[in-house]
Amino acid sequence: MHNFNRKITPVLASALLLAPVAWAAVPDSVQVPAGNKVALETVGVGEITYECRAKADAADELTWVFMGPDAMLKDSGGNEVGRYFGPPATWQAADGSSVTGTQLAVAPGGDGNIPFQLVRANPAEGEGAMTGVTYIQRLNTQGGVAPAMACGQDNQGERQIVQYQADYLFWKAG
């Protein structure tokens, strides 16, 4: 039986969206290729679940393993416009259209923050806001890292939920 504990980490309010000037500071590894333009800007606010379990490449060692996200996607007015959940990592618009993707690159997000990320989107399911999305960029991350508490025999199988926030930019060819 899994023990579900919640670790509430305050997530500081950030600017809802990155100003275009800040985009210049995005590390090269997570830059979107030329020929794409931002089609939708959102802020994901939610939680990431980790489980204390054996490492994939070392069954005798235990570590906190990423199990998946569950976040609301909000527009600049704070209105919910979709969800981000997984696995697999899925971004779903309120109109029902959704995309999954393949991670291409990550870059440090700063101490205590999950990394920035660049994802190549798979073809959308359903017609709507996610139709034609080519890339998804995760920037301005806050929180979301694996728990700091020990992961060992005493708590193997335990799940911890941590809070996080990140800007998600959806790009389309154009």
Side-chain angles (χ1 to χ4, degrees):
M1 182 168 177
H2 294 293
N3 179 13
F4 290 89
N5 291 320
R6 291 189 180 268
K7 176 184 175 195
I8 304 301
T9 304
V11 177
L12 300 174
S14 69
L16 280 179
L17 302 172
L18 292 176
V21 174
W23 292 358
V26 174
D28 289 344
S29 62
V30 295
Q31 289 282 354
V32 173
N36 293 277
K37 63 180 179 180
V38 174
L40 178 64
E41 301 177 43
T42 67
V43 175
V45 179
E47 21 185 75
I48 296 174
T49 301
Y50 291 90
E51 183 175 324
C52 179
R53 61 166 41 173
K55 288 184 176 182
D57 58 349
D60 59 332
E61 293 180 44
L62 298 175
T63 189
W64 289 107
V65 176
F66 175 88
M67 299 303 292
D70 186 11
M72 290 183 300
L73 297 176
K74 298 181 178 189
D75 66 13
S76 61
N79 303 303
E80 186 175 348
V81 295
R83 288 188 56 231
Y84 172 49
F85 56 92
T90 303
W91 294 264
Q92 182 177 47
D95 61 22
S97 63
S98 65
V99 293
T100 59
T102 302
Q103 178 176 282
L104 297 177
V106 294
D111 288 344
N113 302 319
I114 56 175
F116 294 175
Q117 180 183 52
L118 178 62
V119 172
R120 180 179 319 144
N122 295 321
E125 292 189 21
E127 292 293 321
M130 296 298 169
T131 303
V133 169
T134 53
Y135 293 93
I136 303 157
Q137 211 176 25
R138 180 176 70 200
L139 303 170
N140 196 26
T141 57
Q142 297 179 28
V145 296
M149 68 184 292
C151 170
Q153 293 296 327
D154 292 342
N155 61 343
Q156 184 173 2
E158 181 177 304
R159 289 188 174 199
Q160 291 285 314
I161 297 172
V162 297
Q163 303 299 305
Y164 92 105
Q165 179 173 312
D167 292 337
Y168 289 95
L169 305 179
F170 297 85
W171 297 74
K172 294 184 180 183

